[in-house]
Amino acid sequence: MSFALYLLYVFMTFFRPVEMYAPDLASLRPMLTLSMVCLFLSWRNVRAGSPIAARNIHFKLFFGFCTMISLSQIANDGGPNGALQAINEFTPSIMLFVLTVLNVNTLDRLQKTCLATIIGLVIAAGYGISAFHTGERWTDLVMIQKHPDHDLDDMSKAPPFDAPANDDSGWYVFRVRSLGPLSDPNDFAQAMVMALPMLMGLYRKGQLLRNLMLIAAPGGVLFYAIKLTQSRGAQLGIGAALLVGSLKMFGLKKTLIGAVVMGVLVSAGSIGGTKREISGKDKSSEDRILSWSSGVDMLGNNPIFGVGYGNFEDNNPVDHLTAHNSFVLCFAELGLSGYFIWMGLIALTIKCVTSCTRPPNPPNTEVSQMAVLLLAAMAGFFTCGWFLSRTYQSTLYFLLALCIACWHISETQRDEETAPKSAELLPPTSNPAMEDKRLSWRLGALIGMAITFAVVEGFIINQQMSPSE
């Protein structure tokens, strides 16, 4: 029962039926009610002996990060009320992480969870595509922005249109989005980029019709919806996901050939459209780099706890913009202490899921293949996150929890294969809460911090040295 409710919760995270069909019920917070019921039933199953995918170290890092969110508010005069408000805003991420590690403890459950994610996003994408072409509910499902070429023009002179797809005036940029936490086109695109590798988990060799129906068709819907979001970061995210997945599955030589072919196709097809080019010289990109520089300054002035959760925009002199970088947002708002824990959780998760693809784990198993797909999903997600302020977004912690679950499944299967056959020879039950040496995370956190600091500084220095247009 708890897993069925969990799948419903996952589905409703990515497709929002309440906001779509009964928005008046949103004030009753049905998602919170559903999550609390699911949490109660899940914990009851744990008490009855159901295994938990996460180990103590995962929980310590995750809830340590929650603690740093609270402390960052207290340290910046937010007080207990500010700390409670911050945790309340972070609650969807907490619930999705906890529910995932409590419920996803077998390969079948992992696959069904990925399927629920895909179904939710494909339906949401279908609604967005329909709104773009028909005009039905386009004000909810399509974001409209003024085209840069008409930035100084009087919008009252813009010609009317009945559907975004039918407007050829050049006054607007239309970007498909969803509802709820994915109401920003960039968030929507990032979630779909994450789901694309999961879709490949449905592949079955020699079953052409099945693969066309379950992979090619929904994959085409997701790709087209990503194009309509006009998210520039999503273009890079798709490339990163393909690169990581190909390296793991096909090796370096085939990956390089595929990268050349993909580059030609993307250039010819212009997946991101022509209205939002990838460039470091437009005002939007320049403002982002300036915001990164402001984030570095915030860290320098508040190195331990940062400027406080949710306070970046108030401390950014660049038009009070957000960081437009998940890493910058984290160290600017939570300081080195919060950034260390956050990077530690990410480094540990990457180490866990990567270990599923290496000896002594057997290669080419369903679990190892799922691990490769999740690694590709993480590559795509974090590439998008490099240009988006998504440090606290629930989708991130859902993906981390899925990777932890995959590692748990791999470890469980390997232990079962190597366990003594005779019941009398079984070793004493080990304590799963004990931290395994293979899960060392501190060095990974420090390396991740050093790399991200260096790359951010590289962008800032390059921007400062480039001549203004």
Side-chain angles (χ1 to χ4, degrees), residues 80-389:
N81 289 336
L84 289 175
Q85 182 178 351
I87 291 299
N88 180 60
E89 293 176 2
F90 193 60
T91 295
S93 298
I94 296 174
M95 296 303 296
L96 201 50
F97 179 88
V98 172
L99 289 176
T100 300
V101 298
L102 291 183
N103 284 279
V104 185
N105 47 35
T106 66
L107 179 60
D108 179 66
R109 289 190 169 195
L110 178 60
Q111 292 170 334
K112 287 179 178 177
T113 302
C114 292
L115 182 60
T117 303
I118 293 167
I119 293 174
L121 284 169
V122 169
I123 294 175
Y127 270 97
I129 293 170
S130 175
F132 179 80
H133 285 281
T134 68
E136 184 177 356
R137 296 195 64 173
W138 78 264
T139 55
D140 295 325
L141 299 175
V142 180
M143 176 183 288
I144 182 171
Q145 298 175 336
K146 187 186 294 187
H147 194 282
D149 292 344
H150 294 273
D151 194 43
L152 301 178
D153 294 339
D154 183 3
M155 294 302 295
S156 63
K157 298 180 180 179
F161 57 89
D162 57 351
N166 297 332
D167 176 68
D168 57 2
S169 66
W171 280 72
Y172 305 109
V173 175
F174 297 101
R175 306 182 63 195
V176 166
R177 60 182 178 177
S178 187
L179 299 172
L182 301 181
S183 59
D184 184 283
N186 292 316
D187 288 338
F188 191 30
Q190 186 181 37
M192 290 188 287
V193 168
M194 175 193 73
L196 282 173
M198 297 180 185
L199 195 59
M200 293 305 300
L202 301 175
Y203 175 80
R204 295 295 181 271
K205 186 176 181 180
Q207 299 184 28
L208 178 61
L209 181 60
R210 180 185 188 278
N211 293 334
L212 287 174
M213 293 181 61
L214 298 184
I215 299 177
V221 172
L222 292 179
F223 266 112
Y224 186 52
I226 291 173
K227 170 180 167 56
L228 294 182
T229 64
Q230 298 208 48
S231 172
R232 293 170 290 188
Q235 298 179 50
L236 300 177
I238 291 173
L242 287 173
L243 178 63
V244 170
S246 297
L247 280 172
K248 283 290 184 181
M249 289 184 175
F250 306 117
L252 180 60
K253 183 177 179 180
K254 292 182 178 179
T255 297
L256 291 176
I257 295 174
V260 173
V261 174
M262 182 58 65
V264 172
L265 292 176
V266 169
S267 299
S270 186
I271 186 173
T274 58
K275 294 184 179 180
R276 286 174 55 84
E277 303 291 341
I278 295 178
S279 170
K281 291 300 180 184
D282 61 276
K283 185 177 186 302
S284 174
S285 298
E286 291 177 352
D287 286 346
R288 291 187 183 207
I289 304 301
L290 291 174
S291 293
W292 297 2
S293 180
S294 297
V296 174
D297 293 338
M298 293 178 205
L299 177 65
N301 296 328
N302 305 271
I304 305 302
F305 295 109
V307 297
Y309 170 88
N311 293 336
F312 187 97
E313 293 181 32
D314 293 337
N315 289 271
N316 185 9
V318 187
D319 297 327
H320 296 284
L321 295 176
T322 186
H324 288 292
N325 185 303
S326 300
F327 301 87
V328 173
L329 183 68
C330 186
F331 66 64
E333 291 193 345
L334 306 184
L336 292 175
S337 54
Y339 194 47
F340 176 69
I341 295 176
W342 189 68
M343 287 299 301
L345 178 62
I346 293 172
L348 174 60
T349 303
I350 293 175
K351 184 164 186 170
C352 285
V353 72
T354 302
S355 71
C356 301
T357 66
R358 296 174 177 172
N361 296 295
N364 300 321
T365 63
E366 285 190 273
V367 178
S368 65
Q369 291 173 358
M370 183 61 71
V372 171
L373 297 177
L374 289 174
L375 278 171
M378 288 190 72
F381 189 91
F382 280 112
T383 300
C384 295
W386 186 257
F387 304 98
L388 302 172
S389 299

